[in-house]
Amino acid sequence: MEPAVLVLGGGIAGIQAALDVAEQNVHVYLVERSPSIGGHMAMLDKTFPTLDCSLCILTPKMVDVARHPNVELLTYSEVIDVRRANPGFKVKVLKRARYVDESKCTGCGICTEHCPIEAPDEFNMGLSPRRAIYIPFPQAVPKVAVIDYERCIRCGLCQLACEAGAIDFKQKDQELELHVGAIIVATGFRQVDVSALSEYGYGRFPNVITALELERLLNAAGPTAGELLRPSDGKAPKRIAFIQCVGSRDVRLNRPYCSRVCCMYAVKNAILIREHHPEADVAIYFIDIRAYGKGFEEFVQRAEGEFGIKLVRGRVARLEEDPSTGDLWLAAEDVSSGKVVMERYDLVVLSAGLVPPEGSEALAKLLGLSTDGYGFFSGPNLKLNPVLAQDGIFICGCAAGPKDIPDSVAEASAAAMEAVNYLREVGLL
Amino acid sequence: MEENELRARLRAAREAFSSERVRWLLGRSRHIAEVGKLTPEEAKELITNILKEELERGRILSELKENGPLTVPELSERTGLPKQRLMWHLICMMKDGRVAIWGKKGDFYAFSAAKR
Amino acid sequence: MAKKDKFEPLIVAFCCNWCSYAGADLAGTSRFEYPTNVRIIRVMCSGRVDPIFVLEAFRLGADGVLLTGCHPGDCHYIDGNLKAEMRARYIRACLEEVGLEPERFRLEWVSASEGVRFAELIKEFTETIKRLGPSPLRRREHGGE
């Protein structure tokens, strides 16, 4: 059996793990359930604390992993069965039909211009449209169109427009059987569902948005070309508030843990807003500011000093909308002054916490993995071996708990090393 | 109905039937009803709904062409369409290049018909 | 009201060259009488008529628009009339959305030998439009609502 490692998840952690294993001359299957690799990092505008353009640092790795001779990219695919094979595992992967021939599609995008069916674009958090045939984002890897078969009406306009003849409505889902020595789980996270916190009115008040929605609005490739328009009426918001710990440190929702990145991403977003719109007033309502990492504390100081962002220690009790204007009244306690404040804002951003992605529970069952009380994967010795979940199965990145990009990358490399060592242990290398 | 309103709607209809989306869809409607996934009734309903959507967009476009850059509240007053629906239409038309953000009028962003 | 009796509909008819225009010609040479309210525009095929032509006719003040073509199966260009039929459906839907009565637009098949039918059609359609009244764009001329 040729030694191979299965990496589940094509975000930054999965990509790093795949690259590191591949560099050890071991074959890697990188399985990603969405049509492109990149994960959440591809959706971010800038990263903290360096203010690097997220895609600028991610895309070289995306291309590296796609081109690596030892990496087999299986996108729009999901693991449906796993069995121990001693050594290693027998894995069944469902490769879903794109209805587009990957070998013929050039990624030109003409098909997307002809499709008459519109749908909310998941990459832009539903704030802009995509078509039933679409390329997930301009830097998608692989840059191949995919048809959302539920919405497609089989009008065939894409087929007429495609000069490469790549549209194939006869395509079928494929089941692949892989034999691998080790598995690395890098399935990432999703943003908590903030509509569960009815006191903040998300879903009812159009000008209450989540952090990821703000990232897309600020991004030059986003729904409004990087201009910050507030959702209800296209006003340029003059007063903006961030609310921290939404869905984190929350006993009521059974999410008492800290999501680790929200303080820093809120400060980063606040800085970006002040950079674009120096006339805007920005305030962050927090319980604590967690600036634990390299350059983090300096970043927060910069935000307050250089960018004039107001940091207000105090929990926000609720938001109320003024229906005639769409403005929001924010009721909070200001711990420093000891008073309850009621402030009016044009736009409120909820710093939503990180939770395990959809399907984590099922995946845990499939792989026989233990999870902590909140659905993140865990292992027998998290103190001294944070990336070990089980014999031959390793975890890294946010799949193992919320963390930022550098920590995800570090864990991914650790998991890759252990996976390759495991292959040696069981005699596959 | 008021004369100017009807005139505006007919201009909007002309815009809608000039749009690539409607023209391609109508051209393909026989194929959709016969060979596609939908029954003829479903096809007719879908095409009519898309036509209605494009009529609203055509109205926005013709208002922008006749009256220069407009903000969302201004468009809402002229067209009678709710502001959030206008925002969605404008974002869709930005995506296919028919409309662009022109700049600011006071506190509000204004949109203009894109030059082709 | 006396003024309302004076309403003479302005009807635009797009007639295809091979069948319905010939039919109109036959009505003429046979001296069948029909109202003078109609302005005939000859097109090579009913399939030539873009929905925009119909909408422009209404925008410029037509009270009614008629589209005539060959019977299905007889089209000189094979299926041009089928395209016209499909477009007519959505023209009617559009008129409804816009707020004009869809009855102001009609699609009919008239062959080259149907001179009588053509004359009858014009008579009938003119009556329909008289009943519906002037287009809202022309109501001012006809003494208001």
Side-chain angles (χ1 to χ4, degrees):
Chain A
M1 173 201 146
E2 196 213 326
V5 170
L6 171 68
V7 175
L8 271 184
I12 182 61
I15 290 171
Q16 185 62 46
L19 275 171
D20 287 336
V21 172
E23 282 293 291
Q24 293 294 310
N25 258 318
V26 175
H27 190 82
V28 180
Y29 297 103
L30 179 52
V31 173
E32 164 58 48
R33 73 175 166 193
S34 68
S36 168
I37 57 174
H40 280 96
M41 194 175 165
M43 292 168 66
L44 306 179
D45 186 30
K46 308 272 193 304
T47 56
F48 62 76
T50 49
L51 295 181
D52 286 308
C53 150
S54 189
L55 270 175
C56 299
I57 59 177
L58 175 64
T59 46
K61 290 206 183 252
M62 285 168 66
V63 171
D64 276 349
V65 84
R67 295 184 52 132
H68 203 292
N70 291 335
V71 175
E72 199 172 322
L73 208 56
L74 294 167
T75 53
Y76 213 43
S77 305
E78 271 184 84
V79 164
I80 50 177
D81 195 48
V82 178
R83 258 154 243 263
R84 283 205 180 255
N86 285 325
F89 305 84
K90 281 230 164 72
V91 181
K92 277 210 190 110
V93 174
L94 176 68
K95 193 170 193 318
R96 293 165 56 196
R98 285 178 183 247
Y99 304 100
V100 174
D101 187 339
E102 275 184 59
S103 66
K104 292 192 182 145
C105 176
T106 63
C108 72
I110 285 181
C111 55
T112 65
E113 291 169 27
H114 282 78
C115 177
I117 306 297
E118 276 178 2
D121 186 354
E122 295 88 353
F123 189 76
N124 272 332
M125 300 300 290
L127 296 172
S128 72
R130 60 158 172 83
R131 303 293 170 92
I133 186 171
Y134 65 106
I135 292 175
F137 52 100
Q139 302 82 4
V141 171
K143 192 158 183 212
V144 173
V146 60
I147 292 182
D148 175 355
Y149 205 62
E150 295 285 304
R151 295 193 198 256
C152 169
I153 58 173
R154 294 286 295 266
C155 68
L157 280 170
C158 53
Q159 202 165 33
L160 284 178
C162 178
E163 294 181 28
I167 312 284
D168 179 8
F169 288 112
K170 296 207 183 67
Q171 224 180 61
K172 297 248 179 305
D173 290 347
Q174 272 180 284
E175 236 181 65
L176 305 167
E177 186 147 324
L178 310 174
H179 195 179
V180 300
I183 299 177
I184 299 177
V185 179
T187 46
F189 69 93
R190 91 187 129 90
Q191 211 178 219
V192 74
D193 178 8
V194 294
S195 52
L197 293 112
S198 54
E199 64 270 27
Y200 294 143
Y202 179 79
R204 285 182 294 130
F205 307 152
N207 294 322
V208 175
I209 62 176
T210 64
L212 274 176
E213 287 170 346
L214 181 68
E215 290 271 358
R216 296 316 303 158
L217 285 173
L218 289 175
N219 191 290
T224 53
E227 299 285 356
L228 186 56
L229 271 72
R230 74 171 185 172
S232 72
D233 57 9
K235 184 175 182 205
K238 283 249 173 70
R239 288 177 53 80
I240 301 158
F242 286 81
I243 302 180
Q244 299 307 104
C245 302
V246 178
S248 299
R249 303 183 68 181
D250 191 327
V251 175
R252 205 179 14 141
L253 288 183
N254 191 33
R255 302 232 168 251
Y257 59 86
C258 166
S259 288
R260 228 166 131 104
V261 296
C262 323
C263 287
M264 293 309 295
Y265 78 49
V267 168
K268 179 259 299 180
N269 285 335
I271 288 178
L272 290 179
I273 291 177
R274 289 281 295 165
E275 261 185 345
H276 283 219
H277 303 275
E279 74 287 356
D281 254 329
V282 181
I284 302 179
Y285 288 81
F286 67 91
I287 309 177
D288 298 290
I289 294 280
R290 292 182 164 181
Y292 56 87
K294 277 199 198 154
F296 288 11
E297 187 61 42
E298 298 90 321
F299 193 61
V300 178
Q301 300 291 344
R302 222 184 133 196
E304 246 188 327
E306 193 184 322
F307 288 96
I309 290 157
K310 290 196 202 67
L311 298 174
V312 182
R313 185 184 297 269
R315 276 299 242 167
V316 175
R318 71 182 182 284
L319 292 171
E320 275 165 24
E321 191 194 37
D322 174 357
S324 62
T325 56
D327 292 349
L328 300 144
W329 286 100
L330 180 151
E333 58 158 328
D334 180 346
V335 169
S336 322
S337 67
K339 295 204 178 89
V340 170
V341 296
M342 193 76 157
E343 295 279 352
R344 195 181 178 105
Y345 289 102
D346 294 322
L347 180 70
V348 173
V349 185
L350 304 177
S351 292
L354 278 56
V355 300
E358 266 178 61
S360 283
E361 246 183 83
L363 187 63
K365 268 209 194 90
L366 200 60
L367 292 169
L369 294 182
S370 46
T371 58
D372 63 13
Y374 316 110
F376 294 107
F377 301 117
S378 95
N381 189 0
L382 291 178
K383 212 33 167 282
L384 294 177
N385 198 341
V387 298
L388 176 69
Q390 228 187 80
D391 227 31
I393 306 182
F394 307 91
I395 50 179
C396 61
C398 289
K403 56 182 66 75
D404 65 357
I405 294 164
D407 290 347
S408 298
V409 169
E411 278 191 0
S413 294
M417 170 99 268
E418 297 209 9
V420 173
N421 280 347
Y422 181 78
L423 291 184
R424 288 205 184 92
E425 248 178 74
V426 295
L428 287 170
L429 255 190
Chain B
M1 189 197 334
E2 208 245 307
E3 200 182 305
N4 285 328
E5 174 63 18
L6 180 61
R7 245 183 257 280
R9 288 189 189 187
L10 284 169
R11 267 200 303 272
R14 186 179 59 197
E15 281 289 350
F17 278 97
S18 308
S19 73
E20 278 187 32
R21 193 176 177 209
V22 169
R23 293 185 79 83
W24 277 105
L25 198 56
L26 286 197
R28 209 61 179 160
S29 60
R30 270 195 293 159
H31 180 101
I32 294 172
E34 289 162 20
V35 172
K37 266 160 83 185
L38 309 174
T39 66
E41 294 74 41
E42 287 171 335
K44 178 153 192 270
E45 205 195 315
L46 174 82
I47 297 177
T48 306
N49 286 335
I50 292 180
L51 181 59
K52 287 186 192 172
E53 211 171 60
E54 287 299 320
L55 278 170
E56 289 183 358
R57 290 182 191 175
R59 182 62 186 271
I60 294 170
L61 261 179
S62 59
E63 292 290 340
L64 292 178
K65 283 183 181 169
E66 300 271 316
N67 302 299
L70 295 170
T71 65
V72 171
E74 285 172 341
L75 276 168
S76 182
E77 211 172 322
R78 284 170 185 277
T79 64
L81 292 170
K83 294 191 202 123
Q84 275 204 279
R85 193 155 171 76
L86 281 168
M87 280 289 282
W88 176 253
H89 281 321
L90 286 163
I91 287 176
C92 292
M93 289 198 281
M94 275 177 73
K95 179 101 196 256
D96 59 26
R98 293 193 270 174
V99 146
I101 293 181
W102 171 84
K104 282 199 224 163
K105 274 170 141 189
D107 282 339
F108 287 81
Y109 278 97
F111 297 82
S112 62
K115 304 212 177 349
R116 290 292 195 118
Chain C
M1 287 165 55
K3 259 206 167 152
K4 245 196 168 170
D5 295 343
K6 292 269 173 130
F7 165 51
E8 283 302 335
L10 197 132
I11 294 172
V12 175
F14 295 96
C15 300
C16 87
N17 178 66
W18 302 98
C19 291
S20 48
Y21 190 81
D25 244 0
L26 182 59
T29 54
S30 312
R31 303 279 185 258
F32 296 136
E33 288 200 357
Y34 61 80
T36 54
N37 305 75
V38 66
R39 310 286 193 274
I40 294 179
I41 298 177
R42 180 173 66 121
V43 292
M44 293 312 289
C45 177
S46 52
R48 166 62 180 110
V49 177
D50 193 314
I52 290 177
F53 298 176
V54 176
L55 295 167
E56 276 295 274
F58 281 116
R59 193 183 70 83
L60 295 168
D63 299 301
V65 175
L66 197 53
L67 173 53
T68 59
C70 309
H71 289 270
D74 297 343
C75 178
H76 187 82
Y77 305 100
I78 322 292
D79 61 352
N81 52 0
L82 299 181
K83 293 178 189 171
E85 187 177 37
M86 176 275 294
R87 287 178 197 137
R89 223 178 287 162
Y90 297 106
I91 292 171
R92 269 190 293 272
C94 179
L95 290 175
E96 226 173 321
E97 267 307 295
V98 156
L100 279 174
E101 301 91 328
E103 298 78 46
R104 290 185 184 271
F105 169 72
R106 226 157 103 173
L107 170 70
E108 287 290 345
W109 311 129
V110 178
S111 82
S113 58
E114 292 179 308
V116 178
R117 183 163 144 69
F118 187 83
E120 288 303 317
L121 172 62
I122 301 299
K123 266 192 223 149
E124 203 218 298
F125 192 57
T126 308
E127 279 311 303
T128 304
I129 300 299
K130 271 199 180 145
R131 236 188 325 107
L132 289 173
S135 148
L137 298 182
R138 292 220 298 152
R139 271 193 201 135
R140 268 186 296 146
E141 301 168 34
H142 297 279
E145 226 83 0

